[in-house]
Each structure stands twice: as C-alpha cells, then as structure tokens.
Amino acid sequence: MATILAWLLCALAIGGIGANLHSALGVARLARRRQAPGAAVAVSLLKPLHGAVPGLAEKLAGFLDQEWEAPIQMVCGLQREDDPARQVLAGLRRSHPLLRHSRLRGDDEKREMRELVEIVDPKSHGANAKIANLINMLPAARHDLIVLSDDDMAVPREYLAGLGGALAEPGVGAATCFYRGRGATGGWSQFAAAATSYHFLPSVVLSQTLGFAHPCMGSTIALRSETLEAIGGFARFADVLADDYEIGRAVRGLGLKVVLPPMLLVHDFPEASLRALWRHELRWSVTLRAVDPLGNAGMVFTYPLPFALALLPLMPRLGAVLVCATLAARLLLKRAVDGWAGASTCPFWMLPFRDILSLALYLRAFVARSVDWRGQQLVMAGKGRVMAQAESPSR
C-alpha cells in the first residue's frame, strides 16, 4: 500500500512539474502577443459595487482614463443608500477632470465623452446579489457595447482598445480578461493574491493552450446588448453561483466565441486574516468544482510541491530530487508571470506555504455545502445553483 501511495505521489509531483513548465511557456508567449485595437465606439461600463474596497476611487478612475476616443458611460450600482461606496463616487465626481468639467460647466461634448451614473436599488431578483444589482443597473445603460467588471479590478489604459479589437474578430460574442493578484493591505492579502498569480492564472493559460476549458471571468465580460438579450439577459443567472462562467457558456451556446485578449488586469485582495482568506478562496474552489469538474480535476497538477514533500518519508532520494525540481519549476513560472505583470505578487519564499494551503482548500471544496459571499451564506442547490441560507429548507 505504501508503495502504491509513493508512486501516486511521484506521478502527481512529476505531472505538476510538467504543468508548471508548460504554463510558464504559455505565459511567456502571451506576454509577447499584442492585440490590434478596435474602432472606438460608445460603451457602457457596468460596475456593481458593494462597500468601498481598497483603492476604489483610483480603480474607477482607471476605467474612465482610457485611450478611447468615444463616449464612456460608467453605471455604478449599489443596493443600499448607506453604502460607503457612495462617498467614493461623490469624491470621484469632484476630482475627475472630465466629470467635473461636465458637471460644473455644462459642456455637452464633454458630458458625452465621460459620464458617471449612480443607481441605488435594493430590489432582489434571486440569491445572487451581484446579478440582482446588474439587473437593476441595466436599464440605465445607453450604449450597445456593454462591459461589466468586478469592483476590485484595476485596468491598463489600453483596456477598452484591447476589448474592442477582440470583439471585432469574426464569430466573437464576448471577451473576458486574464488577471493577476495584488495584495492591497500587505501580509495576508499578499498571501491571498499569490494564489491568483501563481495558481489560478497559470491554470487558465494552460487550459487555454490545451483547449480543455473555456473561461469567462468576472474580471471583465464585454459583449453587445443584442448578445446579452439573446442569452436571456442577466435574469437568467439570478440564482447561479458562477454567473460569469454561465454567461460565457450561454454566449457559446449561440455559436459565438468567448476570447481572451493578451492583456493582464490586476485584482486587489483586501484579506486581513487567514479566516477571511479561507472563506473567500473556498467560495472560488467550490465554484470551480461546480461549473467545471474536468478543469477542477486538472487543478491538482498546480500543486506539485506538497506531493513531492509527502513523498520524502516514503522515498527520500527521489522525494528530494522532486522537491528541488518542483521548486525550480515554480521559480520559472513565477518569473514568467512577474515578467508579464511587470511586478512581483509575493516573495518566492511564500510560495511553498501558499502551495500547501491551496491544496488544503482544493480538497476542502469537495465536501463544502455552502459558501460565503460578502457576509451572505449561500447554500449549494446542485448544478451550480445557489439559494440564500434563509431560504434553505429546514432539516
């Protein structure tokens, strides 16, 4: 039995080393690619907000400060009158040059170029609060090109140009974006961000390279209004946990492609404790297992180091060789990701501890029956659907 276990651990470690090296090569290739910009057309940005995440004002300003010679309408949705994000929006109106110029001087041309709309509506349409927010916001969107993104994303100035170029390709129905992690508050947030940069991002690149997965992520979903209407609007996803993934699947169901331009966004992590990190990442792990079982199974090869370490007491010499090989592969992958990002998410010494915690979360997700979404407990209802815990049937 011990021999079988040893060879299983060996196979998982070797497979993980290969996956890491393949991912590093894929990341390096993406970093060299360039997306032809698309023609600038009027766009409505949908930003569902919930609280004042760290650096929210700067992030929102980044969506307005684009190399985009066409009107940009930003629709920000909130579900509470007392949401702290409202103060951030008020400050952005006062400080952003184009928004301030439009408001104070009444310049129609400037108002058309950059516009900020605030929607406060508590109406609920299902268990997924983010989708409820989007449903409430959508009537305010004035333009055919719609781009929705999470409130913790930071984007480069060529963001809209890259999305426009991707959507201009034949047969494309939607575009989504790769993203890396960044610790917003140091310490645990940096530790949390490392999982996105050095586990999640490489796995997405690898699955794209091998054709195993078709991601559509909350970092960005850009599509035209007629495409959104054709898939049933946001209401179709009101009780879905992985709304972004299901939107992408619905677009592909129309016979259209969901593409990822070679552009890297930044996702800030505010986690201040191990408990907060665990809750957040467990939801991610459960979501992936629910919507993409095959992709979730493949994720086991992104954690080769714990398997190599577990092999040490069973086969010391081979285990030591695989530990060294794994560390070398992880270092190469880290350098490839950092080269694309132009920054390091965390020091290399953190990665072994991060790998062990990630494997623990991966295994825990197989038995989880509920997840936390910003303080709301959602109960898994099968086939990727959820319901608020208050609505769950009594036992």
Side-chain angles (χ1 to χ4, degrees):
M1 187 66 181
T3 302
I4 296 174
L5 176 60
W7 286 113
L8 176 61
L9 292 171
C10 181
L12 289 169
I14 292 174
I17 292 169
N20 273 259
L21 293 175
H22 203 302
S23 296
L25 182 60
V27 168
R29 287 174 175 167
L30 274 170
R32 293 193 295 268
R33 277 181 53 197
R34 294 293 179 269
Q35 174 72 56
V41 297
V43 58
S44 290
L45 303 174
L46 302 186
K47 299 292 294 185
L49 304 180
H50 180 91
V53 300
L56 180 59
E58 293 78 9
K59 292 181 178 67
L60 294 178
F63 284 86
L64 297 170
D65 297 330
Q66 291 288 303
E67 296 174 354
W68 190 251
E69 297 300 321
I72 298 176
Q73 179 202 30
M74 179 183 288
V75 182
C76 296
L78 309 100
Q79 294 187 295
R80 296 189 353 251
E81 292 282 351
D82 61 347
D83 194 307
R86 296 195 70 188
Q87 298 180 13
V88 176
L89 294 178
L92 182 62
R93 286 195 187 91
R94 292 191 298 267
S95 63
H96 196 280
L98 290 182
L99 292 174
R100 186 175 67 246
H101 184 91
S102 165
R103 184 171 65 89
L104 296 181
R105 300 188 185 181
D107 188 314
D108 291 337
E109 181 180 356
K110 291 293 185 181
R111 183 182 291 111
E112 280 295 309
M113 290 301 291
R114 299 292 184 267
E115 179 186 8
L116 175 61
V117 178
E118 180 181 322
I119 303 294
V120 181
D121 190 339
K123 188 180 300 181
S124 176
H125 301 273
N128 190 320
K130 171 186 165 184
I131 290 295
N133 204 354
L134 286 167
I135 292 172
N136 297 336
M137 295 159 59
L138 187 60
R142 296 193 294 109
H143 304 304
D144 178 61
L145 177 57
I146 295 175
V147 177
L148 52 139
S149 61
D150 291 342
D151 58 358
D152 46 16
M153 287 291 163
V155 299
R157 295 199 70 215
E158 64 274 13
Y159 170 70
L160 290 179
L163 291 176
L167 287 171
E169 296 175 4
V172 172
T176 189
C177 287
F178 297 104
Y179 61 96
R180 70 174 180 93
R182 181 173 64 188
T185 56
W188 286 112
S189 68
Q190 192 178 38
F191 200 61
T196 293
S197 293
Y198 307 125
H199 289 126
F200 177 73
L201 173 60
S203 71
V204 174
V205 172
L206 180 61
S207 66
Q208 282 287 100
T209 303
L210 299 178
F212 287 162
H214 306 281
C216 188
M217 298 171 285
S219 56
T220 287
I221 301 176
L223 72 176
R224 297 174 181 86
S225 57
E226 60 265 30
T227 305
L228 179 59
E229 183 177 354
I231 64 174
F234 292 126
R236 174 177 175 177
F237 313 99
D239 290 310
V240 173
L241 177 61
D243 49 89
D244 44 8
Y245 180 89
E246 293 299 334
I247 289 172
R249 182 153 67 174
V251 170
R252 294 194 303 275
L254 300 177
L256 300 172
K257 295 183 290 186
V258 179
V259 298
L260 291 94
M263 175 170 52
L264 192 60
L265 310 189
V266 178
H267 175 199
D268 276 338
F269 286 78
E271 281 77 3
S273 67
L274 176 60
R275 182 181 179 186
L277 182 158
W278 183 273
R279 286 201 307 260
H280 187 184
E281 293 192 20
L282 183 61
R283 176 173 61 84
W284 275 11
S285 296
V286 169
T287 300
L288 179 59
R289 182 178 61 82
V291 303
D292 187 9
L294 181 61
N296 182 65
M299 283 289 290
V300 73
F301 292 109
T302 64
Y303 318 117
L305 184 59
F307 297 122
L309 290 171
L311 183 62
L312 277 173
L314 300 173
M315 292 183 172
R317 290 186 179 180
L318 181 57
V321 170
L322 289 180
V323 167
C324 292
T326 297
L327 289 172
R330 296 293 282 153
L331 179 59
L332 286 173
L333 176 59
K334 184 180 186 302
R335 287 184 173 178
V337 172
D338 293 349
W340 188 13
S344 173
T345 300
C346 75
F348 181 67
W349 66 262
M350 275 191 182
L351 275 191
F353 303 100
R354 178 65 260 192
D355 290 356
I356 293 170
L357 179 61
S358 292
L359 179 60
L361 279 157
Y362 174 81
L363 296 174
R364 176 67 177 84
F366 282 93
V367 295
R369 293 293 175 264
S370 65
V371 294
D372 177 272
W373 189 85
R374 294 186 172 182
Q376 181 185 19
Q377 282 296 118
L378 302 177
V379 178
M380 304 303 297
K383 297 184 179 180
R385 304 188 74 81
V386 292
M387 55 186 178
Q389 193 164 41
E391 300 173 3
S392 61
S394 59
R395 296 179 180 178

